[in-house]
Amino acid sequence: MSAICLNSELLNEQQAAEFLGVVPGTLSVWRSTKRYAIPFIKCGRLVRYRRADLEKWLESRTVSPVDVATL
């Protein structure tokens, strides 16, 4: 198995879903429909997410109070 598949910073789909507060099926739908551009890694048939990528994605989704006022 390659080193990228063994990296401890990689989360499986269940762990990534828990981190984001969604169910694993939601991540699967988002991947297949490309609804959200959350980077993921394929290791054979396994899907892995870097914790840092999930954190960056969450930061990009953060709405500040000033942004809300302009809606």
Side-chain angles (χ1 to χ4, degrees), residues 10-27:
L10 295 179
L11 305 176
N12 64 31
E13 192 171 27
Q14 177 68 39
Q15 294 166 324
E18 287 176 15
F19 181 81
L20 295 175
V22 299
V23 296
T26 299
L27 286 179

Side-chain angles (χ1 to χ4, degrees), residues 51-64:
R51 182 180 299 274
D53 287 341
L54 296 177
E55 291 170 351
K56 286 179 193 173
W57 182 78
L58 284 174
E59 282 294 320
S60 75
R61 308 281 305 158
T62 302
V63 179
S64 70

Side-chain angles (χ1 to χ4, degrees), residues 36-56:
Y36 297 112
I38 302 174
F40 63 93
I41 299 165
K42 290 284 289 185
C43 293
R45 63 184 179 155
L46 302 177
V47 175
R48 298 292 183 253
Y49 294 87
R50 286 187 186 99
R51 182 180 299 274
D53 287 341
L54 296 177
E55 291 170 351
K56 286 179 193 173

Side-chain angles (χ1 to χ4, degrees), residues 25-37:
T26 299
L27 286 179
S28 179
V29 169
W30 289 352
R31 275 194 319 274
S32 64
T33 62
K34 298 179 176 47
R35 179 170 182 167
Y36 297 112

